[in-house]
Amino acid sequence: MSSAPPCRVLIVDDSAVVRQLLTEILSRDPAIEVVGSAADPLLARDKIKRLNPDVMTLDVEMPRMDGLAFLENVMRLRPMPVVMISSLTERGADATLQALALGAVDFVSKPKLDIASGLHAYADEIIAKVKTAAKARVRPLARTSAPRVGMDAVLPAAPALRFRTTDRLIAIGASAGGTEALRVVLEQMPADAPAIVLTQHIPAGFSRAFAERLDRHSAMAVREAGDGEAILPGHAYLPPGGQHLSVIRDGARWRCQIDDGPAVNRHKPAVDVLFRSVARSAGGNAVGAILTGMGDDGARGLLEMAQAGAPTLVQDEATSVVWGMPGAAVRIGAARDVVPLDRIAQRLLDLAASIA
């Protein structure tokens, strides 16, 4: 039986050093073939036509054409899996989140100093993300002429109060593809929704920009959690950069606990850490959900939530960019429901409302 052909990768970066390093790193894996590289988007455009790569790595800051503008063109005209190579700066974080909104599958952080040793330290991650991207579902970027709706227009139209108790909690975990999936879920939540605790696999330097981005898209108040902070309805809490978020019970209420402990499932923050704490502290008063993501982080924690009496669900395969984490949860029996992305918010609200 013949093995699958290698994943064909095009590397686009204005730095010759980075192009060479990425070529060396990716070429280590026999399942990857680097078919070419380009120093700017205009050269890359021609090579895409000629080489027909399966995956492209793309720098954010590029000469001759902005990397985001190029990505938008690619996703409209020739959709393909793209892994962004971005710097760990505030500006880089915001640009990377924009890239994910435009359809990039995932991203790798590029160190500002000592790029050679920095990229080699991330070699396994780079290889894994490129191979995962090759299997990702990529959809054409839809152009819309509809004006963006500002928060002033959204907030007055929020539904009437439906949840009058703090005794409901929604816990959500996500990874690759999750930055946009979380946006879709949160922008459908009313301002008075039950409290939501979130874990998204994201580098430390990106967490604040990510929380601010979600806050702009949601009627809920989305914020980085503070250690000991009370968990309140109408609020969504993300772990601060590179730390675990847990939920602890404090009398009749819940509080956030921030933990700088070791990585779990190679991740920090880890979804399993959050879900296991929710299972212990909230039991059947919580609802758990896993969205798109590679790997299996969160599957065992979701099973513990289900065993504690919590309704659980995962995003379906058809709408997931990567059905790794949701699929792992289904395989071990942790998910009681499988739901398409555009229906997850309402399903979470319905499940929370049904808790006796």
Side-chain angles (χ1 to χ4, degrees):
M1 183 174 177
S2 61
S3 58
C7 162
R8 295 164 55 81
V9 179
L10 174 66
I11 296 168
V12 185
D13 198 295
D14 63 328
S15 166
V17 172
V18 172
R19 293 197 303 274
Q20 180 62 33
L21 288 170
L22 288 176
T23 299
E24 292 173 2
I25 289 168
L26 293 172
S27 297
R28 294 179 194 169
D29 194 300
I32 297 174
E33 178 187 2
V34 177
V35 295
S37 64
D40 65 54
L42 299 185
L43 293 171
R45 182 182 60 192
D46 295 334
K47 292 200 174 185
I48 289 172
K49 295 175 183 176
R50 184 159 48 86
L51 300 172
N52 194 30
D54 300 312
V55 177
M56 177 171 64
T57 70
L58 178 63
D59 191 8
V60 173
E61 297 180 357
M62 300 286 293
R64 295 218 287 173
M65 179 186 285
D66 174 72
L68 293 176
F70 178 57
L71 175 64
E72 184 174 6
N73 287 338
V74 168
M75 300 310 292
R76 278 194 299 108
L77 303 173
R78 202 283 196 189
M80 63 187 299
V82 176
V83 176
M84 302 303 295
I85 306 294
S86 54
S87 59
L88 272 172
T89 65
E90 186 171 339
R91 181 181 172 196
D94 188 61
T96 299
L97 293 169
Q98 291 180 51
L100 295 171
L102 290 170
V105 173
D106 211 333
F107 65 95
V108 175
S109 300
K110 181 167 60 176
K112 290 192 292 183
L113 302 174
D114 197 4
I115 288 178
S117 63
L119 281 178
H120 278 295
Y122 288 109
D124 290 343
E125 178 185 352
I126 294 168
I127 291 169
K129 288 187 174 182
V130 166
K131 291 168 72 173
T132 298
K135 302 173 184 177
R137 290 169 185 80
V138 177
R139 297 170 180 83
L141 180 66
R143 294 302 297 264
T144 175
S145 58
R148 290 193 174 186
V149 180
M151 289 306 297
D152 290 344
V154 173
L155 290 174
L161 286 177
R162 295 176 54 196
F163 302 96
R164 301 183 181 279
T165 173
T166 61
D167 202 27
R168 302 288 183 269
L169 184 65
I170 295 171
I172 305 175
S175 184
T179 55
E180 280 305 290
L182 284 172
R183 177 191 60 77
V184 170
V185 172
L186 287 176
E187 71 182 4
Q188 295 180 31
M189 288 290 181
D192 67 318
I196 300 178
V197 285
L198 307 162
T199 289
Q200 161 75 41
H201 296 160
I202 199 164
F206 288 67
S207 62
R208 183 173 298 278
F210 181 48
E212 291 172 352
R213 186 178 184 84
L214 290 179
D215 186 61
R216 291 195 297 270
H217 284 276
S218 180
M220 299 183 75
V222 186
R223 59 201 295 169
E224 282 190 321
D227 190 39
E229 181 175 5
I231 295 174
L232 303 173
H235 290 70
Y237 302 88
L238 281 154
Q243 300 186 77
H244 296 300
L245 170 63
S246 299
V247 173
I248 57 173
R249 173 70 75 168
D250 179 17
R253 71 194 320 176
W254 295 299
R255 293 189 181 276
C256 297
Q257 183 176 64
I258 305 304
D259 176 16
D260 197 23
V264 174
N265 303 323
R266 303 181 306 281
H267 295 291
K268 186 179 174 183
V271 180
D272 267 336
V273 170
L274 175 64
F275 283 0
R276 285 170 172 159
S277 72
V278 171
R280 289 192 303 268
S281 299
N285 286 322
V287 181
I290 293 180
L291 307 184
T292 173
M294 71 177 185
D296 62 359
D297 184 31
R300 288 176 290 276
L302 193 70
L303 180 60
E304 290 183 23
M305 287 186 64
Q307 292 169 340
T312 58
L313 64 87
V314 298
Q315 183 177 348
D316 73 351
E317 186 171 5
T319 63
S320 293
V321 173
V322 181
W323 209 59
M325 288 163 50
V330 168
R331 284 192 297 274
I332 66 171
R336 298 182 182 177
D337 208 352
V338 180
V339 184
L341 178 59
D342 62 358
R343 288 171 42 203
I344 286 177
Q346 188 59 55
R347 185 70 179 136
L348 290 172
L349 293 171
D350 291 344
L351 289 172
S354 71
I355 294 172

